[in-house]
Amino acid sequence: MTPKPPDLAEIVPHKGPAELYYVIKHGIKMTAMPAWPNLKREDEIWSVVAFLQKYPELSLAEYEQLVWGEHNKQSGQSIASAEGENLPVPHTVIEVCAGCHGLDGQGRGLGAFPRLAGQNAAYLEESLKAYRGGKRHSGTMQIVAGPLLDDEIQEVSHFYARLQPADPVERTEPGRNSADISPEEWNAAVERGAKIAAEGIPDQGVGACADCHPTTRQSFENSYPTLIGQTPDSLMRQLELFQQRKRGGTKTANLMHAVVDGLQPEQIQAVSFYYAQLSAQKFRKN
């Protein structure tokens, strides 16, 4: 009932993507191979499939770089806040969060991970609790947030909220369809996204994004996230998950359904490009 796990580098080249997907999603009965923790997130499962297909080619150094980046797990580290104060990095951030989101909360420059620096602390707290309780769907984050205590969640949330927000995303940065389009196409998409954010699309039943997600940096008066400077990939993925009813979230997440249901794919792309290229003009003091 507990067979020896196979060497992935040897077995993966003999498996097709569909078979890998099936095993990751459903696990293998009568072994220690579990099913994916949240079956609504097929996108996460396919990401693991993509990783496994590259795994046999990776050296140990490349694997460690992929997992940790420039991050090390030494305690006693500190980082400057947006206001220039030297903040000690919480142990939970070092051990749990930084591998994906970075010590500086910039998402390691990868669209796969949202940028947490300068995010609304209340939103981060509610989101981590939603992951922990299974109300927000993610097989990855459910495992990460599950063991966290309330005081650890609060500490992590307020740490990342005090950091300097990310610089605006440029067209040439890696991301779904953002680095491959021409400057003219990028600018046209950003212009369309600005109009959607400011006015919505009344004919499609889409409200103005900026009513809840302002386009300038200002004080947070609710637990809604700031979208400024997030990567297009991250923004598009969340909007698509809302449309598919596969995201879940906090008690206010359902408010998004009425907005996103009327959006077409090119409009999701446009508004994502728009928010991604905005600059954090005004940093909120916590």
Side-chain angles (χ1 to χ4, degrees), residues 80-143:
S81 73
E83 299 169 333
E85 182 181 351
N86 206 33
L87 297 179
V89 180
H91 176 75
T92 304
V93 168
I94 295 173
E95 290 290 330
V96 179
C97 311
C100 294
H101 300 286
L103 291 176
D104 58 2
Q106 302 298 335
R108 290 182 54 191
L110 304 173
F113 309 122
R115 295 172 168 178
L116 306 185
Q119 185 56 268
N120 182 358
Y123 168 74
L124 291 176
E125 281 192 59
E126 290 195 16
S127 294
L128 284 170
K129 290 178 181 178
Y131 281 126
R132 185 179 65 182
K135 294 180 180 179
R136 182 165 173 179
H137 308 308
S138 170
T140 303
M141 282 300 301
Q142 189 172 321
I143 296 299

Side-chain angles (χ1 to χ4, degrees), residues 29-92:
K29 292 181 179 179
M30 306 300 289
T31 75
M33 177 67 189
W36 192 251
N38 195 300
L39 299 183
K40 290 191 175 185
R41 292 297 303 275
E42 289 94 342
D43 59 310
E44 293 183 330
I45 299 173
W46 281 116
S47 293
V48 177
V49 171
F51 162 73
L52 288 175
Q53 291 183 303
K54 294 291 293 184
Y55 178 77
E57 307 170 14
L58 297 176
S59 67
L60 178 59
E62 289 171 329
Y63 176 81
E64 291 181 342
Q65 173 66 23
L66 182 63
V67 173
W68 299 112
E70 303 304 321
H71 164 55
N72 65 66
K73 300 182 72 170
Q74 295 177 355
S75 60
Q77 299 182 72
S78 62
I79 192 169
S81 73
E83 299 169 333
E85 182 181 351
N86 206 33
L87 297 179
V89 180
H91 176 75
T92 304

Side-chain angles (χ1 to χ4, degrees), residues 137-211:
H137 308 308
S138 170
T140 303
M141 282 300 301
Q142 189 172 321
I143 296 299
V144 170
L148 296 181
L149 303 176
D150 285 351
D151 59 343
E152 293 173 320
I153 287 176
Q154 184 180 57
E155 182 182 39
V156 166
S157 300
H158 284 267
F159 168 77
Y160 276 124
R162 295 186 63 188
L163 299 183
Q164 179 64 40
D167 291 332
V169 173
E170 298 180 0
R171 179 190 65 84
T172 54
E173 293 189 28
R176 188 170 16 151
N177 301 326
S178 61
D180 299 329
I181 67 175
S182 68
E184 293 75 20
E185 291 172 317
W186 168 269
N187 292 333
V190 168
E191 186 176 342
R192 292 194 302 272
K195 186 175 178 64
I196 294 171
E199 303 173 11
I201 313 174
D203 292 346
Q204 296 174 211
V206 176
C209 309
D211 287 348

